[in-house]
Amino acid sequence: MVDVKDVIESKEMRDVITALHALKRRWAPEHQATDHIRPTVLALVGKYKAKEILEVLLDNHEYYPGYKEVLAASFGGWLIVPRERRVREILMVHAALDHMHDAEWKLGYAELSLERDITARYILTSLDFLIEIYDGLGGYQAFAQNPSFELLWITFERDEKSINTCVLAMRFLHHAIDRSSARGRPFLPSLSKAVLMLDVLKDKNPSFPYKEKYVSRSLLHQRWSQNKQTLALLYAASTIRINRKTLLQLILDGFFSYQNHQPYLDTWMRRTRYVAAHVFGRMTDTDLERKTMRLVGDGPATAFAPAKLIDIEAASFNEIFQKIIKD
């Protein structure tokens, strides 16, 4: 029977390690940020470190392959359910699996060999990834037992509806601010005014599937009050179109990806800062703007128009908006 300790301490193993280090120095991407923090520490240990993770996603440093991808997955999960550690963990495992799959795909389809296996594991996947992410997330057992996206979507259903309700409320307020400004009339935005518009949408339009898409007033207030730091990010994400979907829809599907969506991050942050100033900056609840800016940090903001309301939404908006302006 093989003695594992003897194998690990053998001269042959030392020679293999020396050779692997030589391969890594020549072929593996170098990462500048050698003082980085492990993804599991940032995302899963103690309070979720959203600000620090967002700073990593926005910086220009090179990290080992898969590092930003896994953190981005955790950030998407945090935006949906900020207090659910398990959801972040599941999405991080899915992102890790995607990274490992990509490493194998880059090799092409051919018979497995020692050379191909070493290239996939230690160069394309990277030893740092295997230690900090694969092993850090629980290794084979955690990856084998990870729930599917289909199960996650069932879990997300109520959260998705509450987020969509917040987003529609913010769209109403955004329209009201822009329209009143164009008329030179003062308008003080508040959640209660948006709720009036939502109530009209729900109560006066029995054919409109309100309960299928949105949540009650109490659940809206709960989501709004307990997750103030995420509201502007979610609303801004709903305004960014990527092919046929919005960035928000991709986040809610669990598909937010650093590799695919990094080109949109700057626009997302700029629009978030604009929402913080243009909408939240006019509201009496100063926590909304303060918590948003503390998360995304100072930087440029880009103005944008709110998405067009569909006819039935516009009718509900107009009924309440006219009353508010007249008052």
Side-chain angles (χ1 to χ4, degrees):
M1 183 173 179
V2 174
D3 187 317
V4 174
K5 185 173 181 293
D6 287 345
V7 173
I8 291 174
E9 295 178 352
S10 67
K11 177 184 180 302
E12 291 81 1
M13 180 61 75
R14 291 195 298 273
D15 292 342
V16 168
I17 291 172
T18 300
L20 285 175
H21 282 312
L23 274 174
K24 185 178 177 181
R25 283 193 300 272
R26 182 171 181 185
W27 301 108
E30 293 183 3
H31 56 277
Q32 302 165 6
T34 55
D35 58 344
H36 67 272
I37 302 173
R38 291 192 178 207
T40 49
V41 173
L42 287 170
L44 301 176
V45 177
K47 185 178 180 181
Y48 184 75
K49 299 156 188 71
K51 178 178 173 59
E52 290 83 353
I53 288 172
L54 189 55
E55 287 173 351
V56 170
L57 297 179
L58 295 172
D59 71 30
N60 294 319
H61 295 156
E62 292 293 332
Y63 300 84
Y64 61 79
Y67 183 80
K68 286 190 175 183
E69 283 76 4
V70 168
L71 287 179
S74 80
F75 191 74
W78 174 76
L79 284 173
I80 302 169
V81 276
R83 290 165 179 78
E84 291 291 336
R85 176 190 181 277
R86 179 59 180 147
V87 168
R88 299 195 296 271
E89 187 175 33
I90 291 168
L91 289 173
M92 290 170 75
V93 169
H94 275 292
L97 284 168
D98 287 343
H99 171 65
M100 295 165 73
H101 177 267
D102 287 346
E104 292 186 358
W105 179 81
K106 288 174 183 175
L107 285 176
Y109 296 98
E111 185 177 351
L112 182 66
S113 66
L114 185 57
E115 294 86 351
R116 295 172 65 82
D117 185 59
I118 289 172
T119 302
R121 287 176 187 269
Y122 301 107
I123 305 302
L124 300 178
T125 301
S126 92
L127 185 59
D128 294 315
F129 174 93
L130 292 173
I131 293 171
E132 293 193 3
I133 296 177
Y134 181 78
D135 190 57
L137 288 171
Y140 173 80
Q141 185 174 4
F143 281 64
Q145 296 176 353
N146 202 47
S148 66
F149 278 116
E150 287 73 16
L151 288 175
L152 272 181
W153 293 332
I154 295 171
T155 304
F156 287 165
E157 184 177 4
R158 197 178 85 165
D159 298 291
E160 180 175 0
K161 289 169 67 175
S162 69
I163 288 171
N164 287 335
T165 312
C166 288
V167 166
L168 180 56
M170 293 183 68
R171 189 181 306 137
F172 280 152
L173 295 179
H174 193 169
H175 273 282
I177 291 167
D178 286 5
R179 191 174 298 187
S180 62
S181 297
R183 295 182 180 184
R185 301 288 298 273
F187 176 78
L188 184 65
S190 67
L191 179 58
S192 61
K193 290 174 182 176
V195 166
L196 291 174
M197 298 171 186
L198 292 169
D199 284 345
V200 171
L201 181 63
K202 177 179 63 176
D203 298 335
K204 291 197 173 182
N205 300 282
S207 62
F208 185 73
Y210 188 92
K211 290 184 178 179
E212 295 175 17
K213 301 176 70 173
Y214 304 113
V215 296
S216 65
R217 179 186 296 204
S218 61
L219 290 176
L220 167 61
H221 277 280
Q222 179 180 328
R223 176 86 199 189
W224 188 281
S225 62
Q226 294 180 3
N227 303 283
K228 294 178 182 180
Q229 71 275 35
T230 67
L231 294 173
L233 280 163
L234 292 167
Y235 175 60
S238 76
T239 70
I240 298 172
R241 297 207 67 84
I242 302 173
N243 297 324
R244 296 186 178 183
K245 290 193 172 186
T246 66
L247 179 58
L248 177 60
Q249 289 171 318
L250 293 166
I251 291 169
L252 290 172
D253 288 342
F255 295 154
F256 178 55
S257 155
Y258 181 79
Q259 181 177 348
N260 294 329
H261 305 132
Q262 186 275 335
Y264 303 93
L265 292 182
D266 183 58
T267 298
W268 188 15
M269 296 305 111
R270 286 170 176 263
R271 291 193 178 191
T272 298
R273 295 187 191 101
Y274 179 71
V275 173
H278 188 63
V279 180
F280 291 163
R282 301 167 189 257
M283 300 177 76
T284 56
D285 184 354
T286 57
D287 273 354
L288 289 164
E289 182 180 17
R290 181 179 60 82
K291 289 187 175 183
T292 301
M293 293 307 298
R294 187 171 64 188
L295 175 60
V296 301
D298 294 332
T302 300
F304 66 96
K308 185 179 179 181
L309 299 170
I310 62 173
D311 290 345
I312 198 168
E313 294 170 347
S316 302
F317 169 84
N318 288 330
E319 179 175 331
I320 299 300
F321 180 73
Q322 295 303 330
K323 291 180 181 178
I324 293 173
I325 291 297
K326 287 178 181 178
D327 292 343

